C-alpha cells in the first residue's frame, strides 16, 4: 500500500482535504450529473484500492441501502405534480422518484468515498494531520488503537482461561452466559486498569508531560503535494463558484427542472469529473509506467 | 568519577513500617555493565526506581542518590529523561502507541526535538537494532521479543548515558531473552552506554557483566566482580547461589576450600569455561573423560540423580530440591498398574482452512499420577496442544481421549466436570475481585453450595498452595510467582483429576520455582496427574517425571528426564551441556560433582558405581509405596528441601538426603 | 480559562447560530443535513478544547485511553451474544468514575475509534456526540456522589435507570435523527416516525443491554477506578 499507489502517497493533509471536498460537494449538490460522476469516481476508486474480490462482499449491502433510499422518498414524500399512481391514499409522484434516485446516488457515493477513506487514512496519516492541532487527543487515539487489538486478544485468552477452570461463556442458559461474559469483561477490565500503571510509568520515563512536546510524523511535504493541493483547491473553487452563480441548480419540486446548461455548467462538470477520477487515473497511469519499466529493463 | 553514586539509601513505602531498602550504598562508573541480583521481593525494583525521579515510589527515603556528581533531585526532568533510560519488565505494558515508528519517536517528541532530528535518530536506532523491516508495522503484530527490543530502542533514541533494565527478559522465551541481553551488551560495548540490569536468568547474564550487586532483604550483601561474587554468596549461605550458572555452582562446590579463602580470578561462568574446568577436574581424580565412562553405560542403566550418595561437602551448591520424582515411569512394575488418562492418536489440527497445520500427527499419552512435561521452542504449538486436549481446538483428524472422554465432542463443561482443570499461562486472566480470598471463593462457588464447606475448601487449597498469608491481599498487589500460585489455587478448587499447566514458571526466580515444585509434588502425591507445557528445561529436568520434546507439530522424543536430556544435545540442561562427552548421563550439577568426587578405583566410573549402591534403597522404597515411591517420604523430603532453600541454609545438605 | 479555550467558546457560540442562519438565508437542497452536521461538530469543540487545554498528565491520558479501548473492545467479551455491546455502559461508568469531562472524551473517542475500526461513515459525528453526551451527563449527575462515597454506594439503581434512558433517548434519538436528515428530502412526521419506528427494536435492545451491563458492572468498575485513582493520586473529587 505505502508508496505503491500514487494518490495515497500524497501528504495526509492533502488527502484529507480531497475527501472532505468530494464528500462535501456530493452531499451539498443534488445535480444528477454531479452525483452520477461522484458515484462513478467513488466506485472506481474503491474498486481500484480494494480489488473486486473484497468489494464483492461490500457492494450487495450498499446496493440494498441505495434501493431503500430510492424507495424511501416516493413513499413518504408526495410533492411534485406528475402523479404516477397511488399507494393507499397517497400519490406517488415522478419528482419524488427522481429525488429518491438522486438520494440513492448521493448515499451510495458518500459511502463509497468513505470506503476509500478508511483504506487510505491509516492512523499515522490521521496523526500527521491532527497531531499538532490536538496533541493529547491524538495520543489517546493512538493509544486506543494500540489497546483495542490487545484487549480483543486478551478477552479471548480470558474466556479460554475461565473455561479452563470450569466457567464457560459459550454454553449454558442465556443468563449464565451473560453472567460468565461479564466475568470475562470484569477480568479484562481489572487487568487493563491495573496494567495501565506500567504504561503511564513508561510514558513518564520517556518524559511525557515536559513542556514543548512535538508531534513527529514520517510524512514530508513535497512539491507534488503543493501541486496537488493547488489543483484540488482550484477544482473545488470552480465548482463552488458555479454553484453560487446557480449554474448547477436543480429543482425537484414541484417539477423536475435543471435550471441551467450554460458554459459554466459544463466547465464545472468537467472539472468535477477530473477531480473525482483523479486518484484512479493517476494510479492507472503510474501502474502503466511501472509495467513499461518492468518489461524494458 | 562515578556516574551513579548511591549513599546509605533507606526507603519505606508510604503507610508501611517495613524498610524495603536498608543502608544501600554503591557506585557505578561510566561504561560499566552491572548486574543486580536477588530474590523476588528483595527490593531490586524499588532500588532501580530511585535512579529516576519520575518513577520513584511514594514513601520515606533517606540517604542520597547522585548522578554525574549531582544530587538526582537537582537534575531537571528533561535532563533525566534524556540521560537515564528505563526499560521495565512487561514488554506489552510499556508500549504506548500503535505503530513501531511512533513508539521510537515518543521520547524525542516529549523532549520537543525538531522533526528532522527525530527522523535521523529514529533511523539510526532502527538500523542499529535491525528494526528496519518492521518499522512501519503495527505494534500488535510483533512477537514478545521484538516488543521488548522496541522498548529498548525507544529508550536508546534519546541517547542516554545510563540504561536501567528491570528484569527485561522475565516475560520472554529463552531465545528472545538471550537476544535481548546480547542487544543490551552490544549497546554497552559499541556505544559505551552504562548498563544496570536486574535478571533472573543468570546463566546468560552473569558472563556478560563487569560487576555483580547482590541484594537480600533490602540490603546490599555483595558488590564485586562476577568471578568472586559466587564465592561471597556461598560464604554467606545466600539462597541466590541456587540461581547461579551451572558452571559457577560446579566450581563453587568442588573448590569450596580455596574459594572460601580467596576468590579465584578465573571462575568458570559459561558452558565452554565450565567444560574446560570439568575436564581439568576429571583429570585430577584420574578419570580422563568420556573415553572411560561411555563404554560402561547404557541409557537403561540410568537412575535418578537423587540416588547419588550425599557428598560430604559442607557447601553443596546444587539444586535446592533433590530431583527425585522421576522414578515412577521408570519402574516397570508400577507402570503396568497405571491407567492412561490422556491419550492422543495421530492428531492433526489447523486454526483455519487455509492456514498451516499446527499439530501434525501428534501421538502422546500420560499416565495417572505422572508429572509430564511437554518441552519445545516458542510458537511450536505446545499451547495449541493443550487447547486440543482440553477441547478448545478441535482436530480435523485423529483421536484424543482425556479421562475417558473425547474433548472435541464433550458437551459444554462435561470435560471439566469430569476432572480437568487448566492453569492459564497468564494468571491475570483469572482475577477480578478485590482480594485473593474473594476470587477463590467465586471459583469454589460452582462446586460447593454450602458457605462453610466453601470456606473450608478455600482454606485447604490456600494451605496446599502456600498462599494462606496472602488471602486478604489484592491479587495485583502480590508478586508474579504468588499470583501464579493463587491462580493454581483457583484451578484446584474445581477438584481436578488432571491439571494442565501452561508455562507456569514464566518470570519466576529460582526460589519461587522451587516453591511451585513443592506444591506440585504435594498434588501428585494426592493422585493428581499433571501435564505441563514449558520452555523451562532446568525446571523440567529437576521436577518432572517424564519429558517430551515437541517439534513441528508432534512429539519427537520422550523419556524420563535423565534419559531425555542425555539424548538431547542442545535442548538440554546447562549441566548436561557442560558434561557432554565428559560425564555422560549427567543432568544436574550434582551429577557432575559426583563424577569428580568418586575415586576411579571404585569400579571405573563414578556415576555408575555410586548409583548401583543407592539403587538398592530405591527398590525397597518402590515396593513399599504406592506407584513406585512412598508418598510420605517424598513430600517430607520436599518440605525439608523447601524450607532449606527458604532459609538459605544451602550448607545443611547432609541431614536430609533420605536414601542415606 | 486560557486564550485557546475562550476562542473555542467564541467559535462554538457564534458558529452554531451562524450555521443555522446560513441555512435559513441560503436554502439549498440538503441544508438540514449539512447544517446539523456543522452544529454537531461545533458542539463537540469546547469539550475537546478543554481536554487539550488542561494538558492532561500521563496517568489521566492512560486511564481515558484504557476506558475508551474497553468500551470499543468490550464486545469481544460477548462474542457469543451478538448485538449485546457493553460500550455504552463503559462510557457511562467512565463519566461516573472519572467525571464529566473525561466522560465526554471517553464517549466521543469511543464513537470515533469504533468507526475507525469498523468503518467510518457520515454517521460518525452523531455517534461521537451521542456517546460523549451520555458520558458527560453521567458525570454531571453521578460523579460528585460517587467520588464522595469512594464508591457507588446505593447509586446503583439510579445509574442503571439513567443508562437505560441515555441509551434509548440520547443515543437512539440522535443517531436516528441523523438518519432522517440523511435520507429524507424534507422532514415530515411520516418520514420521522418511519425511521424512529424502524429503529425502535434496535434501540430497545441496545438500552436493555446497557441496563444489564450496568447492573453487572457498575459497582465493580467504580471500585476499580477508585483503587486506581488512589494509586495514581488522580482526579481529585469533583466538588
Amino acid at each position: 500500500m505505502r508508496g505503491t499507489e500514487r494518490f495515497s502517497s500524497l501528504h495526509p493533509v492533502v488527502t484529507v482535504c480531497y475527501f472532505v471536498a468530494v464528500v462535501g460537494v456530493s452531499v451539498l449538490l443534488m445535480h444528477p450529473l454531479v452525483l452520477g460522476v461522484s458515484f462513478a469516481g467513488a466506485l472506481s476508486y474503491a474498486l481500484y484500492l480494494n480489488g473486486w474480490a473484497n468489494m464483492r462482499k461490500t457492494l450487495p449491502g450498499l446496493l440494498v441501502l441505495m434501493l431503500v433510499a430510492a424507495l424511501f422518498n416516493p413513499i413518504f414524500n408526495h410533492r411534485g405534480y406528475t402523479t404516477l399512481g397511488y399507494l393507499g391514499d397517497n400519490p406517488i409522484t415522478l419528482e419524488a422518484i427522481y429525488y429518491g434516485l438522486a438520494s440513492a446516488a448521493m448515499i451510495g457515493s458518500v459511502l463509497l468515498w468513505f470506503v476509500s477513506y478508511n483504506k487510505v487514512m491509516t492512523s499515522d496519516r490521521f496523526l500527521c494531520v491532527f497531531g499538532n492541532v490536538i496533541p493529547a487527543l491524538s495520543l489517546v487515539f493512538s493509544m486506543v488503537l494500540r489497546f483495542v487489538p490487545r484487549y480483543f486478544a486478551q478477552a479471548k485468552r480470558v474466556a479460554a482461561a475461565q473455561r479452563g477452570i470450569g466457567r464457560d461463556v459459550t454454553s449454558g442458559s442465556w443468563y449464565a452466559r451473560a453472567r460468565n461474559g461479564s466475568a470475562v469483561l470484569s477480568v479484562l477490565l481489572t487487568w487493563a486498569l491495573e496494567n495501565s500503571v506500567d504504561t503511564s510509568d513508561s510514558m513518564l520515563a520517556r518524559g511525557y508531560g515536559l513542556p514543548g512536546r512535538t508531534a513527529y510524523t514520517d510524512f514530508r511535504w513535497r512539491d507534488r503535494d503543493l501541486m496537488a493541493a493547488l489543483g484540488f483547491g482550484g477544482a473545488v473553487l470552480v465548482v463552488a463558484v458555479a454553484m453560487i452563480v446557480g449554474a448547477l441548480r436543480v429543482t425537484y419540486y414541484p417539477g423536475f427542472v435543471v435550471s441551467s446548461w450554460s458554459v459554466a455548467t459544463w466547465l464545472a462538470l468537467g472539472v468535477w469529473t477530473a477531480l473525482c477520477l483523479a486518484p484512479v487515473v493517476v494510479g492507472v497511469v503510474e501502474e502503466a509506467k511501472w509495467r513499461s519499466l518492468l518489461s524494458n529493463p | 568519577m562515578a556516574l551513579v553514586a548511591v549513599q546509605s539509601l533507606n526507603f519505606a513505602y508510604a503507610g508501611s513500617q517495613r524498610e524495603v531498602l536498608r543502608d544501600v550504598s554503591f557506585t557505578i562508573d561510566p561504561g560499566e555493565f552491572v548486574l543486580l541480583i536477588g530474590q523476588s521481593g528483595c527490593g531490586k525494583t524499588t532500588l532501580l526506581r530511585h535512579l529516576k525521579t519520575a518513577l520513584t515510589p511514594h514513601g520515606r527515603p533517606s540517604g542520597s542518590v547522585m548522578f554525574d556528581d549531582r544530587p538526582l533531585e537537582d537534575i531537571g526532568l528533561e535532563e533525566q529523561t534524556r540521560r537515564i533510560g528505563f526499560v521495565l519488565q512487561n514488554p506489552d505494558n510499556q508500549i504506548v502507541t500503535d505503530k513501531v515508528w511512533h513508539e521510537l519517536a515518543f521520547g524525542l517528541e516529549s523532549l520537543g526535538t525538531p522533526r528532522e532530528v527525530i527522523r535521523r535518530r529514529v533511523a539510526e536506532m532502527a538500523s542499529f537494532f535491525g528494526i528496519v523491516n518492521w518499522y512501519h508495522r503495527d505494534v500488535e503484530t510483533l512477537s514478545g521479543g521484538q516488543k521488548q527490543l522496541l522498548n529498548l530502542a525507544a529508550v536508546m533514541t534519546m541517547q542516554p548515558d545510563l540504561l536501567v533494565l528491570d528484569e527485561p527478559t522475565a516475560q520472554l522465551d529463552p531465545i528472545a531473552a538471550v537476544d535481548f541481553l546480547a542487544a543490551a551488551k552490544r549497546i554497552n560495548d559499541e556505544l559505551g552506554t552504562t548498563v544496570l540490569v536486574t535478571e533472573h536468568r543468570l546463566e546468560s547474564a552473569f558472563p556478560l557483566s563487569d560487576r555483580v550487586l547482590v541484594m537480600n532483604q533490602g540490603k546490599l550483601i555483595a558488590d564485586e566482580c562476577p568471578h568472586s561474587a559466587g564465592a561471597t554468596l556461598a560464604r554467606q549461605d545466600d539462597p541466590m547461589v541456587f540461581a547461579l550458572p551451572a558452571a559457577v555452582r560446579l566450581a563453587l562446590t568442588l573448590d569450596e576450600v580455596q574459594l572460601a579463602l580467596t576468590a579465584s580470578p578465573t571462575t568458570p561462568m559459561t558452558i565452554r569455561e565450565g567444560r574446560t574446568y570439568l575436564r581439568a577436574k576429571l583429570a585430577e581424580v584420574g578419570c580422563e573423560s568420556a573415553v572411560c565412562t561411555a563404554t560402561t553405560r547404557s541409557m537403561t542403566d540410568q537412575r535418578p540423580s537423587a540416588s547419588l550418595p550425599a557428598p560430604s561437602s559442607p557447601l553443596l551448591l546444587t539444586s535446592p530440591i533433590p530431583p527425585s520424582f522421576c522414578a515412577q515411569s521408570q519402574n516397570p512394575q508400577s507402570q503396568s498398574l497405571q491407567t492412561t488418562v490422556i491419550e492422543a492418536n495421530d492428531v492433526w489440527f489447523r486454526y483455519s482452512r487455509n492456514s498451516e497445520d499446527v499439530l501434525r500427527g501428534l501421538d502422546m499419552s500420560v499416565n495417572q499420577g505422572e508429572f509430564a512435561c511437554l518441552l519445545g521452542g516458542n510458537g511450536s504449538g505446545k499451547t495449541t496442544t493443550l487447547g486440543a486436549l482440553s477441547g478448545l481446538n478441535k482436530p480435523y483428524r485423529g483421536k484424543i481421549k482425556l479421562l475417558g472422554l473425547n474433548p472435541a465432542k464433550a458437551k459444554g463443561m462435561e470435560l471439566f466436570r469430569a476432572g480437568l482443570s487448566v492453569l492459564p499461562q497468564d494468571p491475570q486472566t483469572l482475577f477480578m475481585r478485590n482480594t485473593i480470598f474473594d476470587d477463590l471463593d467465586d471459583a469454589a462457588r460452582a462446586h460447593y453450595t454450602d458457605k462453610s464447606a466453601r470456606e473450608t475448601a478455600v482454606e485447604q487449597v490456600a494451605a496446599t498452595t502456600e498462599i494462606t498469608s496472602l488471602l486478604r491481599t489484592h491479587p495485583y498487589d502480590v508478586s508474579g510467582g504468588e499470583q501464579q500460585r493463587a491462580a493454581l489455587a483457583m484451578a484446584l478448587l474445581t477438584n481436578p483429576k488432571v491439571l494442565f499447566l501452561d508455562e507456569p514458571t514464566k518470570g519466576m526466580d529460582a526460589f519461587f520455582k522451587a516453591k511451585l515444585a513443592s506444591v506440585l509434588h504435594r498434588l501428585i502425591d494426592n493422585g493428581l496427574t499433571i501435564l505441563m507445557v514449558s520452555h523451562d528445561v532446568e525446571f523440567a529436568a529437576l521436577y518432572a517425571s517424564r519429558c517430551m520434546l515437541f517439534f513441528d507439530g508432534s512429539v519427537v522424543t520422550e523419556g524420563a528426564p535423565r534419559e531425555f536430556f542425555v539424548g538431547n544435545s542442545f535442548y538440554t540442561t546447562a549441566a548436561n551441556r557442560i558434561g557432554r562427552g565428559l560425564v555422560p548421563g549427567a543432568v544436574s550439577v550434582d551429577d557432575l560433582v559426583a563424577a569428580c568426587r568418586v575415586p576411579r578405583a571404585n569400579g571405573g566410573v563414578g556415576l555408575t558405581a555410586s548409583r548401583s549402591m543407592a539403587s538398592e534403597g530405591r527398590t525397597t522404597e518402590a515396593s513399599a509405596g504406592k506407584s513406585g515411591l512412598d508418598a510420605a517420604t517424598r513430600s517430607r523430603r520436599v518440605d525439608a528441601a523447601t524450607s532449606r532453600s527458604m532459609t538459605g541454609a544451602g550448607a545443611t545438605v547432609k541431614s536430609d538426603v533420605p536414601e542415606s | 480559562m486560557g486564550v485557546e479555550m475562550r476562542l473555542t467558546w467564541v467559535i462554538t457560540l457564534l458558529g452554531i447560530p451562524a450555521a443555522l442562519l446560513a441555512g435559513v438565508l441560503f436554502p439549498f437542497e440538503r441544508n438540514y443535513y449539512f447544517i446539523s452536521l456543522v452544529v454537531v461538530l461545533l458542539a463537540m469543540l469546547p469539550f475537546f478544547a478543554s481536554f487539550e487545554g488542561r494538558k492532561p498528565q500521563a496517568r489521566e491520558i492512560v486511564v481515558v485511553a484504557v476506558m475508551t479501548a474497553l468500551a470499543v473492545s468490550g464486545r469481544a467479551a460477548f462474542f457469543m451474544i451478538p448485538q449485546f455491546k457493553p460500550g455504552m455502559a463503559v462510557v457511562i461508568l467512565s463519566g461516573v468514575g472519572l467525571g464529566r469531562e473525561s466522560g465526554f472524551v471517553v464517549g466521543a473517542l469511543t464513537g470515533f475509534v469504533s468507526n475507525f475500526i469498523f468503518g467510518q461513515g457520515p454517521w460518525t459525528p452523531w455517534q461521537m456526540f451521542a456517546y460523549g453526551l451520555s458520558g458527560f451527563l453521567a458525570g454531571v449527575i453521578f460523579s460528585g456522589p460517587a467520588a464522595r462515597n469512594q464508591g457507588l454506594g446505593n447509586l446503583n439503581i439510579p445509574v442503571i435507570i439513567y443508562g437505560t434512558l441515555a441509551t434509548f433517548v440520547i443515543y437512539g434519538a440522535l443517531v436516528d435523527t441523523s438518519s432522517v436528515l440523511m435520507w429524507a428530502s424534507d422532514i415530515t412526521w411520516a418520514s420521522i416516525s418511519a425511521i424512529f419506528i424502524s429503529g425502535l427494536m434496535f434501540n430497545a435492545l441496545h438500552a436493555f443491554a446497557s441496563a444489564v451491563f450496568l447492573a453487572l458492572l457498575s459497582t465493580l468498575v467504580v471500585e476499580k477506578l477508585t483503587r486506581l485513582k488512589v494509586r495514581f493520586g488522580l482526579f481529585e473529587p469533583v466538588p
Side-chain angles (χ1 to χ4, degrees):
Chain A
M1 180 68 208
R2 240 189 112 81
T4 56
E5 201 250 320
R6 188 73 180 206
F7 180 78
S8 51
S9 70
L10 284 174
H11 195 275
V13 170
V14 181
T15 29
V16 164
C17 291
Y18 178 82
F19 282 111
V20 169
V22 286
V23 170
V25 172
S26 307
V27 171
L28 278 174
L29 288 175
M30 288 302 278
H31 195 289
L33 283 179
V34 167
L35 288 173
V37 166
S38 175
F39 186 75
L43 182 64
S44 54
Y45 192 35
L47 281 170
Y48 178 74
L49 280 179
N50 295 293
W52 172 243
N54 290 320
M55 286 305 287
R56 221 169 52 178
K57 289 173 216 149
T58 323
L59 283 177
L62 184 80
L63 286 175
V64 169
L65 263 177
M66 289 173 67
L67 190 70
V68 174
L71 293 175
F72 187 86
N73 198 57
I75 293 172
F76 290 102
N77 200 317
H78 314 297
R79 298 196 312 184
Y81 40 52
T82 323
T83 304
L84 297 175
Y86 286 87
L87 192 76
D89 290 339
N90 295 318
I92 301 297
T93 67
L94 184 65
E95 288 76 16
I97 289 177
Y98 282 158
Y99 191 92
L101 289 173
S103 285
M106 188 271 289
I107 286 176
S109 54
V110 167
L111 292 180
L112 281 168
W113 281 124
F114 269 107
V115 168
S116 304
Y117 171 88
N118 286 331
K119 184 95 182 171
V120 172
M121 275 307 276
T122 52
S123 67
D124 16 2
R125 302 180 148 264
F126 181 88
L127 287 181
C128 171
V129 179
F130 293 102
N132 274 320
V133 192
I134 41 170
L137 285 162
S138 295
L139 180 62
V140 176
F141 170 71
S142 175
M143 290 169 73
V144 174
L145 287 185
R146 149 110 187 92
F147 292 153
V148 167
R150 201 179 158 209
Y151 291 1
F152 267 105
Q154 182 73 4
K156 273 194 197 134
R157 277 195 288 271
V158 172
Q162 296 285 328
R163 181 177 173 275
I165 59 162
R167 298 176 193 155
D168 196 10
V169 292
T170 53
S171 63
S173 70
W174 187 89
Y175 176 74
R177 268 198 256 179
R179 229 189 96 85
N180 287 334
S182 81
V184 173
L185 195 58
S186 309
V187 172
L188 183 68
L189 218 139
T190 311
W191 169 84
L193 287 172
E194 292 288 337
N195 282 297
S196 71
V197 180
D198 267 4
T199 311
S200 106
D201 277 346
S202 160
M203 290 169 74
L204 288 174
R206 284 183 285 159
Y208 187 80
L210 290 171
R213 186 179 165 81
T214 47
Y216 177 66
T217 161
D218 249 0
F219 299 97
R220 266 182 270 200
W221 185 263
R222 296 164 201 276
D223 286 348
R224 65 190 174 93
D225 295 312
L226 185 67
M227 305 289 284
L230 287 176
F232 295 155
V236 172
L237 196 70
V238 169
V239 175
V241 169
M243 190 178 125
I244 289 166
V245 302
L248 292 170
R249 186 156 187 79
V250 178
T251 47
Y252 285 81
Y253 306 116
F256 178 70
V257 180
V258 177
S259 309
S260 150
W261 288 110
S262 61
V263 180
T265 312
W266 290 112
L267 182 69
L269 281 173
V271 168
W272 174 241
T273 310
L275 186 67
C276 287
L277 294 177
V280 178
V281 171
V282 170
V284 169
V285 168
E286 194 84 350
E287 243 171 67
K289 266 193 218 159
W290 253 110
R291 281 208 199 99
S292 70
L293 277 176
L294 284 178
S295 54
N296 313 312
Chain B
M1 194 181 80
L3 184 66
V4 178
V6 174
Q7 192 59 50
S8 24
L9 185 65
N10 292 282
F11 181 78
Y13 278 95
S16 157
Q17 285 304 310
R18 201 168 68 88
E19 297 249 286
V20 187
L21 297 179
R22 289 187 287 164
D23 196 26
V24 174
S25 304
F26 64 92
T27 61
I28 297 177
D29 289 329
E32 273 194 298
F33 189 106
V34 179
L35 177 66
L36 172 63
I37 60 175
Q39 291 189 340
S40 295
C42 70
K44 295 191 301 284
T45 298
T46 312
L47 176 59
L48 292 191
R49 282 176 173 257
H50 275 86
L51 300 180
K52 187 146 177 158
T53 309
L55 299 180
T56 305
H58 298 291
R60 289 176 284 111
S62 70
S64 73
V65 178
M66 308 277 280
F67 181 76
D68 209 4
D69 294 332
R70 281 180 292 159
L72 191 67
E73 61 266 24
D74 291 352
I75 299 178
L77 286 181
E78 192 266 347
E79 190 182 341
Q80 285 195 28
T81 303
R82 214 159 20 83
R83 300 187 60 188
I84 306 173
F86 221 104
V87 176
L88 306 163
Q89 188 185 114
N90 187 312
D92 263 305
N93 288 350
Q94 291 174 76
I95 298 177
V96 177
T97 63
D98 64 326
K99 297 278 184 192
V100 171
W101 65 264
H102 199 189
E103 195 62 24
L104 287 173
F106 188 89
L108 295 171
E109 287 185 325
S110 302
L111 293 171
T113 317
R115 209 167 268 192
E116 285 314 311
V117 179
I118 297 185
R119 196 187 304 279
R120 192 172 70 223
R121 297 264 196 94
V122 162
E124 281 180 316
M125 271 309 135
S127 310
F128 187 86
F129 286 99
I131 289 178
V132 180
N133 292 331
W134 29 284
Y135 180 71
H136 287 293
R137 294 245 302 264
D138 280 346
V139 167
E140 202 47 39
T141 62
L142 305 181
S143 71
Q146 287 175 320
K147 281 177 185 161
Q148 195 65 311
L149 216 52
L150 171 61
N151 286 319
L152 181 60
V155 163
M156 288 308 295
T157 52
M158 291 178 280
Q159 303 179 340
D161 297 322
L162 172 66
L163 187 58
V164 183
L165 310 171
D166 186 7
E167 286 186 35
T169 69
Q171 303 297 318
L172 305 184
D173 64 86
I175 293 174
V178 171
D179 285 351
F180 184 90
L181 287 173
K185 184 63 183 166
R186 217 180 125 217
I187 289 169
N188 179 249
D189 281 342
E190 295 182 16
L191 306 176
T193 311
T194 311
V195 177
L196 173 59
V197 56
T198 60
E199 258 299 331
H200 288 316
R201 294 175 201 261
L202 301 186
E203 202 73 54
S204 8
F206 222 70
L208 298 179
S209 53
D210 299 321
R211 200 144 53 89
V212 178
L213 306 177
V214 188
M215 280 184 78
N216 188 348
Q217 313 221 334
K219 274 191 177 155
L220 204 60
I221 57 166
D223 174 2
E224 48 202 301
C225 85
H227 289 284
S228 60
T232 309
L233 286 181
R235 262 203 307 277
Q236 302 191 9
D237 282 346
D238 191 87
M240 276 311 288
V241 287
F242 299 123
L244 293 174
V248 178
R249 275 183 287 150
L250 176 67
L252 287 178
T253 317
L254 290 175
D255 290 350
E256 86 266 346
V257 186
Q258 297 100 297
L259 283 171
L261 299 173
T262 50
S264 154
T266 51
T267 311
M269 282 188 288
T270 60
I271 302 291
R272 189 185 56 150
E273 290 161 6
R275 285 175 65 78
T276 311
Y277 174 86
L278 180 65
R279 209 171 270 129
K281 281 288 156 188
L282 286 172
E284 272 173 36
V285 295
C287 181
E288 281 305 325
S289 76
V291 186
C292 67
T293 51
T295 46
T296 54
R297 298 176 57 87
S298 68
M299 298 294 267
T300 50
D301 191 34
Q302 284 156 32
R303 293 287 186 270
S305 57
S307 41
L308 287 166
S312 54
S313 151
L315 252 175
L316 180 70
L317 297 170
T318 50
S319 59
I321 297 183
S324 57
F325 308 98
C326 359
Q328 293 166 354
S329 61
Q330 285 183 306
N331 190 321
Q333 226 180 349
S334 61
Q335 204 157 35
S336 61
L337 296 172
Q338 298 196 338
T339 47
T340 305
V341 284
I342 306 169
E343 198 170 13
N345 247 322
D346 194 28
V347 171
W348 292 71
F349 171 80
R350 56 176 73 164
Y351 279 99
S352 65
R353 186 197 290 262
N354 297 321
S355 62
E356 275 187 40
D357 286 321
V358 185
L359 303 183
R360 307 152 161 271
L362 171 75
D363 290 305
M364 63 184 284
S365 72
V366 178
N367 291 336
Q368 213 235 306
E370 267 194 303
F371 180 2
C373 181
L374 196 60
L375 291 157
N378 215 33
S380 59
K382 301 189 303 291
T383 301
T384 309
T385 306
L386 282 195
L389 295 175
S390 60
L392 202 61
N393 303 328
K394 309 213 183 303
Y396 66 90
R397 193 187 300 156
K399 254 202 197 120
I400 297 176
K401 228 173 175 189
L402 186 114
L403 292 163
L405 295 166
N406 179 352
K409 297 219 173 90
K411 293 260 173 341
M413 296 279 92
E414 201 182 349
L415 204 60
F416 299 92
R417 274 195 299 273
L420 172 66
S421 200
V422 184
L423 178 68
Q425 190 174 123
D426 177 4
Q428 298 187 344
T429 49
L430 294 178
F431 305 127
M432 60 173 141
R433 304 293 301 270
N434 288 337
T435 64
I436 291 176
F437 179 85
D438 288 345
D439 269 322
L440 292 181
D441 192 54
D442 272 2
R445 214 167 277 265
H447 302 269
Y448 305 88
T449 38
D450 178 47
K451 192 167 186 294
S452 64
R454 206 161 65 219
E455 238 160 64
T456 321
V458 168
E459 270 158 28
Q460 227 160 29
V461 162
T464 312
T465 52
E466 300 176 31
I467 54 166
T468 309
S469 60
L470 307 172
L471 281 177
R472 299 290 156 196
T473 321
H474 192 284
Y476 279 85
D477 287 343
V478 303
S479 75
E482 289 162 342
Q483 281 185 347
Q484 192 66 263
R485 289 208 304 277
L488 178 61
M490 287 176 81
L492 291 176
L493 279 166
T494 62
N495 291 323
K497 296 192 183 79
V498 174
L499 181 65
F500 287 176
L501 306 173
D502 192 352
E503 213 70 68
T505 58
K506 199 174 189 180
M508 272 190 201
D509 68 4
F511 169 73
F512 274 115
K513 280 186 197 177
K515 199 156 184 174
L516 177 72
S518 83
V519 169
L520 293 180
H521 283 123
R522 205 172 295 153
L523 295 171
I524 298 242
D525 290 339
N526 295 330
L528 193 73
T529 308
I530 297 179
L531 174 61
M532 174 175 96
V533 146
S534 180
H535 346 252
D536 194 337
V537 173
E538 308 285 339
F539 187 81
L542 281 178
Y543 306 115
S545 67
R546 195 153 54 90
C547 297
M548 294 175 260
L549 178 61
F550 191 87
F551 174 73
D552 195 30
S554 61
V555 174
V556 180
T557 167
E558 64 174 298
R562 184 164 301 277
E563 83 186 68
F564 177 84
F565 287 111
V566 168
N568 295 347
S569 48
F570 176 72
Y571 205 84
T572 182
T573 60
N576 181 259
R577 276 180 276 159
I578 290 176
R580 176 147 303 276
L582 302 172
V583 186
V587 166
S588 62
V589 175
D590 305 61
D591 301 348
L592 297 177
V593 169
C596 294
R597 283 254 164 79
V598 178
R600 194 222 303 256
N602 205 356
V605 179
L607 233 61
T608 319
S610 59
R611 285 254 167 68
S612 59
M613 232 163 63
S615 61
E616 285 165 41
R618 161 84 45 203
T619 343
T620 40
E621 192 184 59
S623 51
K626 66 170 166 105
S627 68
L629 243 185
D630 178 44
T633 318
R634 259 192 291 152
S635 52
R636 220 184 305 124
R637 198 189 309 142
V638 171
D639 286 344
T642 315
S643 64
R644 175 156 51 85
S645 71
M646 276 193 295
T647 54
T652 57
V653 166
K654 273 183 286 187
S655 58
D656 63 286
V657 175
E659 281 85 357
S660 57
Chain C
M1 213 190 278
V3 180
E4 285 169 18
M5 195 60 220
R6 248 177 262 169
L7 195 71
T8 320
W9 277 110
V10 171
I11 293 174
T12 305
L13 293 178
L14 292 181
I16 292 177
L20 294 174
L21 194 68
V24 178
L25 290 181
F26 309 104
F28 47 90
E29 292 299 338
R30 315 226 26 123
N31 57 359
Y32 295 122
Y33 178 79
F34 198 74
I35 285 159
S36 59
L37 185 69
V38 171
V39 170
V40 164
L41 288 175
L42 283 174
M44 285 192 281
L45 208 59
F47 294 104
F48 290 144
S50 93
F51 184 75
E52 288 289 346
R54 203 145 38 105
K55 299 237 183 304
Q57 296 174 21
R59 289 163 178 181
E60 189 175 354
I61 286 206
V62 169
V63 179
V64 166
V66 165
M67 291 310 285
T68 308
L70 282 169
V72 175
S73 59
R75 63 181 77 186
F78 285 84
F79 57 91
M80 61 291 160
I81 316 176
Q83 293 303 328
F84 223 63
K85 298 182 183 90
M88 191 53 135
V90 176
V91 168
I92 285 170
L93 292 172
S94 305
V96 175
L98 305 176
R100 52 194 170 199
E101 276 186 3
S102 301
F104 185 88
V105 173
V106 168
L109 281 172
T110 299
F112 185 77
V113 177
S114 304
N115 281 300
F116 187 86
I117 293 170
F118 302 105
Q120 308 266 28
W123 51 80
T124 304
W126 270 275
Q127 285 188 357
M128 287 171 69
F129 189 63
Y131 274 127
L133 194 60
S134 307
F136 178 79
L137 290 178
V140 170
I141 303 172
F142 298 109
S143 71
R148 273 197 297 278
N149 292 354
Q150 293 290 301
L152 260 191
N154 48 9
L155 281 174
N156 218 339
I157 302 293
V159 168
I160 297 171
I161 293 171
Y162 165 77
T164 317
L165 288 177
T167 315
F168 196 78
V169 178
I170 301 178
Y171 187 87
L174 264 171
V175 173
D176 285 352
T177 306
S178 85
S179 310
V180 172
L181 295 169
M182 181 86 188
W183 291 54
S185 55
D186 32 28
I187 313 295
T188 62
W189 280 114
S191 57
I192 293 174
S193 49
I195 284 183
F196 273 65
I197 288 166
S198 71
L200 201 63
M201 263 311 289
F202 182 83
N203 289 334
L205 188 67
H206 192 190
F208 174 67
S210 293
V212 171
F213 282 117
L214 285 170
L216 291 169
L217 293 177
S218 53
T219 314
L220 182 119
V221 173
V222 175
E223 240 173 49
K224 303 282 172 196
L225 282 174
T226 309
R227 178 178 143 89
L228 197 68
K229 281 192 282 187
V230 171
R231 281 182 74 183
F232 271 166
L234 243 199
F235 305 111
E236 296 310 317
V238 185

